[in-house]
Amino acid sequence: MGDLELLLPGEAEVLVRGLRSFPLREMGSEGWNQQHENLEKLNMQAILDATISQGEPIQELLVTHGKVPTLVEELIAVEMWKQKVFPVLCRVEDFKPQNTFPIYMVVHHEASIINLLETVFFHKEVCESAEDTVLDLVDYCHRKLTLLVARSGCGGPPEGEGSQDSNPMQELQKQAELMEFEIALKALSVLRYITDCVDRQWSVSQPPQLAHLKRTQCLYPVRWFLSPGKLQQFEGSRWHTVAPSEQQKLSKLDGQVWIALYNLLLSPEAQARYCLTSFAKGQLLKLRAFLTDTLLDQLPNLAHLQSFLAHLALTETQPPKKDLVLEQIPEIWERLERENRGKWQAIAKHQLQHVFSPSEQDLRLQAQRWAETYRLDVLEAVAPERPRCAYCSAEASKRCSRCQNEWYCCRECQVKHWEKHGKTCVLAAQGDRAK
């Protein structure tokens, strides 16, 4: 993998310098699609750089050219598009697109950006280069974790199986729901990296969203009992059944939650500025039940957190502060909503007519560009694990011979999946022949 390179240094710099924010109305347009492809290339190159540990030029370029705030704004813009415009598209009864992949690319855009941010935010200089938009990013992460907690209260993760009676737009909605779960978990990682910078990033006041995070219940553990007697855990973009002997083992996601809480609760800056009410105290003390000896053996630093909570149990709560407090607040979401309020129907109508109803020739050209962007050798290098069957999710060893994009464990699964995969397969194969 050491010789594998997707972008040359000069190419990467050109792509980073060209990053810009797009209005919601232009999402899915030709210029937007070009930037989405550029972001995917930067994303894959950043993962390759981190994997081989030979410098991280993408992270350095984003800081040098001040593009982290641009990524944060694009992230929140596509989140708003998914909440305000995408549902309108799905409700249009006579909208039967020839192919839903152009819409899927917009839906997937949020996952691409949060994945890139997760990769580069490991470095504190990236967090600092976000400047004031870090507040908006914390606010975004808080929204995602709120959804994650709400979903855990419903008893399980979203189901991945679709109905044969559903139409393409309904299938796309289900894919978006599944994607939302992974986005929330990546937001958790980003938030953990931000908490590493609490003492350095905010010298005036602690962002209120971090205070909200402290009060959020049940962030730990990120796992669900899906059926009686079986515990499943999300690792490597997949659900795995955890053997009884492994259920006390700390996962990466659980570790991210504990480290974030450790940073927030034991940071001198946070302690000095967080008003500890009786409600907040009650929520925090619930953490003691999870601080077992087995957990402390795996994360010894949590002994300090255990001592803090023991002291907190004996401490009187503070009365609410009545002094004048000046705080910075996130503004990107409110600004975008104010600029587009009352225009959601018009935006959807414009995109139906000019963006999401491409001709057959346009689809073929776009398929060719997708094939050039998603190089198989790079995708296999950045994949977290062995390929999985597109139909049953078992470990796969056979690839679709026509498009080379999907994997299967056996011929039977490929036949069963063809109804869903067929159109995309044909387009991808045509794009390869066009080259």
Side-chain angles (χ1 to χ4, degrees), residues 31-98:
W32 183 94
N33 269 307
Q34 182 62 63
Q35 175 158 296
H36 174 75
E37 293 165 13
N38 294 343
L39 269 172
E40 289 286 25
K41 292 176 182 178
L42 293 171
N43 204 349
M44 290 186 283
Q45 186 64 56
I47 295 174
L48 286 174
D49 293 338
T51 302
I52 62 178
S53 301
Q54 293 184 4
E56 308 218 12
I58 303 303
Q59 158 250 323
E60 295 171 1
L61 288 171
L62 289 172
V63 173
T64 300
H65 296 288
K67 293 299 183 178
V68 176
T70 303
L71 289 178
V72 174
E73 180 157 351
E74 271 290 279
L75 178 69
I76 296 172
V78 74
E79 179 197 19
M80 179 170 290
W81 182 91
K82 287 170 64 177
Q83 289 191 24
K84 305 291 187 179
V85 180
F86 182 53
V88 177
L89 293 174
C90 294
R91 289 195 298 267
V92 178
E93 295 182 359
D94 58 347
F95 177 52
K96 297 179 180 179
Q98 182 181 1

Side-chain angles (χ1 to χ4, degrees), residues 46-284:
I47 295 174
L48 286 174
D49 293 338
T51 302
I52 62 178
S53 301
Q54 293 184 4
E56 308 218 12
I58 303 303
Q59 158 250 323
E60 295 171 1
L61 288 171
L62 289 172
V63 173
T64 300
H65 296 288
K67 293 299 183 178
V68 176
T70 303
L71 289 178
V72 174
E73 180 157 351
E74 271 290 279
L75 178 69
I76 296 172
V78 74
E79 179 197 19
M80 179 170 290
W81 182 91
K82 287 170 64 177
Q83 289 191 24
K84 305 291 187 179
V85 180
F86 182 53
V88 177
L89 293 174
C90 294
R91 289 195 298 267
V92 178
E93 295 182 359
D94 58 347
F95 177 52
K96 297 179 180 179
Q98 182 181 1
N99 193 292
T100 58
F101 210 75
I103 308 177
Y104 174 83
M105 298 307 288
V106 183
V107 174
H108 184 262
H109 192 60
E110 183 181 7
S112 299
I113 299 177
I114 194 65
N115 192 76
L116 178 57
L117 292 177
E118 181 192 28
T119 303
V120 301
F121 257 69
F122 176 80
H123 305 273
K124 291 187 176 181
E125 61 268 23
V126 176
C127 182
E128 293 171 351
S129 73
E131 300 176 345
D132 290 345
T133 60
V134 76
L135 300 175
D136 296 274
L137 184 56
V138 170
D139 192 49
Y140 168 88
C141 292
H142 179 257
R143 288 194 295 272
K144 295 302 177 183
L145 295 191
T146 300
L147 292 174
L148 191 63
V149 172
R151 181 168 287 161
S152 70
C154 295
E159 296 293 336
E161 296 182 3
S163 169
Q164 294 184 351
D165 298 331
S166 58
N167 60 45
M169 290 302 294
Q170 290 172 334
E171 285 293 329
L172 188 57
Q173 284 180 289
K174 293 175 183 176
Q175 292 175 6
E177 184 181 357
L178 289 169
M179 198 182 303
E180 193 69 24
F181 177 73
E182 292 201 47
I183 290 172
L185 296 184
K186 291 184 179 299
L188 168 61
S189 295
V190 171
L191 187 59
R192 176 254 145 145
Y193 295 137
I194 293 175
T195 64
D196 288 340
C197 304
V198 166
D199 291 339
R200 299 170 60 181
Q201 187 72 32
W202 301 287
S203 58
V204 178
S205 64
Q206 184 192 8
Q209 290 74 21
L210 295 187
H212 294 330
L213 174 64
K214 291 180 182 178
R215 297 196 295 268
T216 303
Q217 300 183 42
C218 306
L219 280 182
Y220 175 86
V222 188
R223 49 173 85 175
W224 283 263
F225 285 92
L226 300 184
S227 59
K230 284 189 177 181
L231 176 70
Q232 290 204 348
Q233 202 166 45
F234 197 81
E235 286 279 0
S237 300
R238 292 193 55 79
W239 287 97
H240 303 275
T241 299
V242 183
S245 59
E246 298 289 321
Q247 290 183 6
Q248 297 301 317
K249 184 177 179 181
L250 188 70
S251 71
K252 178 182 177 181
L253 289 171
D254 294 336
Q256 296 282 44
V257 176
W258 280 116
I259 294 172
L261 289 170
Y262 179 92
N263 289 340
L264 289 174
L265 295 173
L266 298 185
S267 160
E269 182 74 19
Q271 289 183 4
R273 302 186 183 278
Y274 181 55
C275 182
L276 195 62
T277 64
S278 58
F279 174 77
K281 175 182 175 180
Q283 299 303 307
L284 294 177

Side-chain angles (χ1 to χ4, degrees), residues 339-364:
E339 292 173 352
N340 296 280
R341 187 176 294 120
K343 301 177 183 178
W344 313 120
Q345 297 276 355
I347 292 173
K349 182 178 180 180
H350 169 80
Q351 293 179 329
L352 282 176
Q353 295 176 349
H354 302 287
V355 178
F356 298 136
S357 299
S359 64
E360 184 71 24
Q361 182 179 3
D362 290 337
L363 281 173
R364 290 182 181 181

Side-chain angles (χ1 to χ4, degrees), residues 380-419:
E380 291 174 1
V382 302
E385 57 178 17
R386 297 283 300 170
R388 295 281 174 171
C389 177
Y391 183 79
C392 72
S393 299
E395 188 169 311
S397 59
K398 306 178 187 299
R399 180 184 281 170
C400 176
S401 59
R402 174 180 286 182
C403 70
Q404 298 289 308
N405 290 337
E406 292 285 16
W407 289 82
Y408 299 96
C409 63
C410 61
R411 173 68 177 172
E412 289 75 14
C413 282
Q414 184 177 14
V415 172
K416 292 176 182 178
H417 191 248
W418 178 250
E419 183 178 356

